[in-house]
Amino acid sequence: MPEPSTLSTWGLPGMFFVAMLAGSVVPVPSEAMLAALIYNGTPPVTATVVATVGNVLGAVTLYILGQWVSRGGGGPVGRWFSRRRAKEGPRMQRIEANLRTWGAPALLMSWLPILGDAFVIAGGFVGVRPVPFVFFVTLGKGIRYAFVALSTTAAM
């Protein structure tokens, strides 16, 4: 993976792409890239919005995967997810129980590293409706990116 400073030369389209990958299960430095873009002069609000939209679209792919697997589909990916779900056992059961208990607001936790992906997939798996899903995931991920942007501007 290239350095965040190299990635920042890709500008806002690169930020969108990297954030979208980070919103799925690909570990890429979207926060570092956001900070590098802001440090190099990109307006913080613009960079934050682009990062948030890209990250939410990446999360939507996981949500769709969760829905697809819950209906018995997914082919090899569905089988992998089923094995992973069985392996994670208690943790996935707790996340699914939280989503069933708290509903879509539990998706505010989608910003968390690694665990957030589990919340997103479980959101699709347990059948959280699309509009509340997008709202709470956007809010959670947007707050994270806003914090990174504010921290970066304060450090400059």
Side-chain angles (χ1 to χ4, degrees), residues 79-98:
R79 288 190 295 278
W80 170 83
F81 177 72
S82 295
R83 285 192 308 272
R84 180 75 180 191
R85 188 169 174 263
K87 181 181 175 185
E88 294 291 326
R91 183 167 75 170
M92 280 303 289
Q93 290 171 0
R94 280 194 309 273
I95 289 170
E96 289 172 14
N98 282 336

Side-chain angles (χ1 to χ4, degrees), residues 67-147:
Q67 285 185 325
W68 191 22
V69 170
S70 74
R71 296 179 182 134
V77 175
R79 288 190 295 278
W80 170 83
F81 177 72
S82 295
R83 285 192 308 272
R84 180 75 180 191
R85 188 169 174 263
K87 181 181 175 185
E88 294 291 326
R91 183 167 75 170
M92 280 303 289
Q93 290 171 0
R94 280 194 309 273
I95 289 170
E96 289 172 14
N98 282 336
L99 279 166
R100 286 188 178 100
T101 301
W102 297 101
L107 291 165
L108 287 170
M109 305 308 287
S110 66
W111 68 270
L112 293 169
I114 301 168
L115 190 59
D117 292 341
F119 270 94
V120 170
I121 291 171
F125 194 81
V126 302
V128 172
R129 291 187 331 262
V131 171
F133 171 86
V134 169
F135 176 78
F136 286 107
V137 168
T138 301
L139 187 59
K141 290 176 180 283
I143 289 170
R144 176 193 62 205
Y145 282 126
F147 179 77

